[in-house]
Amino acid sequence: MAKVLIIGAVGQIGSELTVALRKKHGADNVVASTRKTEFPPEIRDGGPCEYFDVQDKEAVLSVMKKYGIEQVYQLASLLSATGEKNPDLAFSINLLGLKNTLDAARECGVDRFFWPSSIAAFGPTTPRENTPQRTVLEPTTMYGLTKVAGELLCQYYFRKYGLDVRSVRYPGLISWKAEPGGGTTDYAVAIYYEAILHGKYRCFVKPDTVLPMMYMPDAIRGTMQLMDAPAEKLTVRTSYNLAAMSFSAKELAEEVARHIPGFSCTYEPDFRQQIADSWPRSIDDSQARMDWGWRHEYDLAKMSKDMIANLKVKLGKE
Ligand code: AKB
């Protein structure tokens, strides 16, 4: 059992990862933190919680020291669409926040450090089909820029200071527990809510837009698996490609309609279309599969069945 700190514990990934890590390491050993959002009851009542901002290095350091932290999950980030509305804040939280946390982790002798990259690290000059692990990284968004620089920073801290930093490039993540906020792939979550609540959805990307996606249980399992892998197995210290499924917005709408009769989807692309068009359609994650045994479990059909069953209960629409 390790003493763990999760920074950004109220976000889409953090809220589920916190619960899973408290089960694994013991509730008292996992500190959840956020910048300003209220903690949901299952996190607030489930173990220690702290408020601080990753942009404040002294605050990060003092929480790590207070709890004798051994493992860090640094998830605090603005996503792609919000990042385009406020590039300065995205740069500061995503990149300076990462550096503050890496520095504090070094100073505290942290054993393992996790930081999420994303398919947003790729750009229009990257091969879009079966995108390789090592390829062109020329993103067009501030979010993507912070992911590329962040990956290199992680590798730098590993090589120069021996900090055991591990990372994956998440595809769009789909979950029913916490909603994403400010991402380009948010339509793939919103469609389920709107289908159940209103029987229709206005999608902000075109029907033929194909992006790599993953169901949250796979993402949580994969993240914990990477953090448990023996260090000598890991050959990538920037960030591992990670994949599960790829589908178009139209295929997603058709799958939802199988469960919600009469569901209809219309398409009104906005500024997020351009971001989606700059990202890969599918990802080659064979290095993660080879190095630490990554396997996904959910495809579109299996995910949709689970997602709709759980959301109906959550939304009181059984
Ligand atoms: C976003 O859409 O910004 C994120 C991501 C793919 O990193 N979901």
Side-chain angles (χ1 to χ4, degrees), residues 12 79-81 117-120 143 170-173 182-186 279:
Q12 193 197 10
L79 295 183
S80 55
S117 186
S118 154
I119 53 165
Y143 175 65
Y170 289 122
L173 295 178
T184 301
T185 58
D186 291 10
W279 290 349

